[in-house]
Amino acid sequence: MTFRPTIMGTHGMVATEHYLSALIGVQVLKQGGNAVDAAVAAIFAEGVLNPHMHTLGGESPMLIYSADTGRVSAINGNTAAAQRATPEWFTEQGFELIPGDGLLAAGVPAAFGALVTALERFGTMTLTQVATPAMELARDGFPMHPGLRGPSDYLAFSIYHQQEKFQDRWPTSAQLYLPQGKLPEVGDVFRNPDLAQTFERLLQAERAAAGDRRAGLQAALDVFYRGEIARQIADFVQREGGLPDLADLAAFETHVEAPVTVNYRGYDVYKCGPWSQGPVFLQQLRLLEGFHLRDLGHNSSDYIHLVTEASKLAFADREAYYGDPRFIDVPTEELLSPAYAELRRPLIDPDRASLTLRPGDPLGGHALRAADAPLLGREWQRGTVHVDVVDAQRNMISATPSGAWIADSPVVEGIVFPLGTRIQMFDLDAAHPNGLAPGKRPRTTLTPSLVMRDGKPFMAFGTMGLDQQDQWTLQFFLNVVEFDMPVQAAIEAPKFSSKHFPSSTYPHAAEPGVLRVEGRIPYDVKARFAGQGT
C-alpha cells in the first residue's frame, strides 16, 4: 500500500516538484514537443513557482537519452567561478572559508545556458514556445503556496524565514517578496512582473533574429550572457561587492559531454562526470555488486550497515579526487573499475562502523592511500527541484535544477532572480582537487540519474538533498532492482543517510559515524546497527 498511486501512461510522462510545472510539461508534449522541450518548459516554470529552491540564476545539470541516436548525453549545467575568484583574494580578505550566502559565493548563472543548449541540441521547439508559460506565470501570477511562503515549521529557506534578512540586508528581495512590507498569505496571487519582462526580452531577441531556430536561440543566449541582461547582472553584482563581471558572463559556455556509466546486474546506469558527485553513485554500485543484498533483507540492520559503509568509502574518494576535469586529472575510469572495487570491498567490516575518512589509491592499485599521502580534503563540517520527462518516442531526460535560492542571495535589481552561491563548494586550498580557480566549476551535489536496460530506456530519477542525493537515489534504485518494488513503493520506502563525510556546503561539517534514519524504520533495527557504532 502506498500513499500515492502508481501513475502509468503510453504517450509520455512528466514528473516535477510543482503541479503547475508538470501541467506545463504535459501541455508541451500534447502540442507536439518532445521530452526535452517539455522538460525545459517545466524547468523554466519551476524557477518561477519555486524560487526558494531554484531560479534562472542557478544551475541545471541534465542527462538526455536521444531515441534517434540511441545515446545518452550529459549537459554540464554547472556554474563557473569569476576570474577574480582566487584563494588568494579570499584569504587576503580574511576568509578561511568561502561564505555560504551573498554575492561573494556567486558564480556565473548556468541554468539558462544549459536549458537553451538542451533545447538547441535535443529539442524541437523555439524558446518562445517553451518559455512563454513561465513568462505568463510571472506576469499573471499564481497562488502563493506554503512551500514558498512557509509557516514557521517549514524548511528555513521560505519567505517566512527570510523576512528579517530581506528587510535589513536585501532591499530588492524585500520589495518583491514582502510587498508593502507584509508577508504574503497562502492563496494570494503572487506576481513577478519584472521577471516576466526579463523573459520577454529574451523572447523578443529570438523573434528578431534572422534565420532558423538555432539563430533565434543563439540571439537569446547573447542577450543573457553578453547583452542587456548580462550588463544588468554585472552592474548589480559589482555595485554590491560580488566578483563576477561582464567578461565572466560573456566567456561562459555550456558543455555537452559524454556521461559516466557502469552496468549493475544488467542495468546501464548513467551519471554526470566528476564535476558533479554523480560518479559516487556508481562507485557505491561497484562496491555493492559483490554482496547478496536480497539475502540481507530490505532495510534490515545488516543491509543498512552495509550500504552505509559502502557510501562512506565512495564519498571518501569523492572528497579526495573529484573536481572539474578541465582543470585536474580525475582518475574516473580507475575509480569505477571492478578491480578497484574488489580492493576496497574488504574494508567493510560487517560488525563495526568505520569512524574515519578512508580514500583509496585507484592509480596505485591500493585499497587505502598511503598514511603519509595528503587527503586533499578536510573533516570539516537547500533546496533543489527535479524534473524527469519521457515522450512517446522514448526520448528521456533527467534534470536537477537548483541554486540561486532567494534565501542565499539577493534578487538582481531589474532582472529579479538571485545568483547561485555554489562557489561556496570550493576549497580555498589550491592543491585540493576541488580547489578554487578562476573559471573553474565547483564540484556540485546536483546529480540526475538515467538508467537503460537491454539498450532501451528504463528509468529517469533524481531528488533534492545536497550530499544525500546519491544516497537516497541509490536506495530508490536498489528498491526497484534488488527488491522488485513498484516505482511508487520504492519512492516511499523509508530512507537513511550518512553524515560521516564532509558536507559540500558551508561550513563543510563532517559528523563521523552519524546516520540519519527515518522514523518508520523499526526501533529494533535501529538499535542493532546503533550497536555497530554506525
Side-chain angles (χ1 to χ4, degrees), residues 7 27 42 71 112-113 132 187 237 252 284 335 387 389 441 448 517:
I7 299 172
Q27 289 172 337
R71 295 177 181 173
F112 185 73
T132 293
V237 170
F252 185 79
Q284 292 173 96
L335 287 166
V387 171
V389 183
R441 304 186 189 223
V517 182

Side-chain angles (χ1 to χ4, degrees), residues 20-189:
L20 290 177
S21 64
L23 177 61
I24 287 168
V26 170
Q27 289 172 337
V28 169
L29 291 179
K30 288 186 174 182
Q31 292 164 4
N34 69 9
V36 174
D37 299 319
V40 171
I43 294 168
F44 277 132
E46 283 286 339
V48 178
L49 295 161
N50 284 313
H52 58 305
M53 296 196 287
H54 164 68
T55 69
L56 207 54
E59 303 83 34
S60 188
M62 306 178 210
L63 292 167
I64 298 172
Y65 168 74
S66 173
D68 288 342
T69 65
R71 295 177 181 173
V72 177
S73 300
I75 293 185
N76 187 334
N78 195 7
T79 187
Q83 287 300 308
R84 292 198 296 143
T86 65
E88 294 76 18
W89 189 93
F90 281 96
T91 55
E92 287 170 2
Q93 304 302 314
F95 293 100
E96 295 183 1
L97 300 172
I98 299 172
D101 67 0
L103 291 171
L104 289 180
V108 179
F112 185 73
L115 294 172
V116 174
T117 298
L119 191 63
E120 187 269 322
R121 289 284 296 270
F122 303 101
T124 66
M125 287 184 162
T126 65
L127 184 63
T128 298
Q129 289 173 296
V130 300
T132 293
M135 185 269 290
E136 292 174 344
L137 282 171
R139 183 194 65 200
D140 302 333
F142 58 91
M144 174 62 66
H145 55 90
L148 174 54
R149 192 266 187 193
S152 59
D153 58 347
Y154 264 55
L155 296 175
F157 34 86
S158 65
I159 300 172
Y160 179 93
H161 294 280
Q162 311 310 315
Q163 295 176 78
E164 183 176 345
K165 180 191 292 184
F166 288 175
Q167 291 169 335
D168 294 346
R169 295 170 49 195
W170 296 346
T172 54
S173 298
Q175 183 178 2
L176 176 62
Y177 292 107
L178 299 172
Q180 289 82 51
K182 297 180 180 179
L183 182 69
E185 296 298 329
V186 171
D188 287 351
V189 176

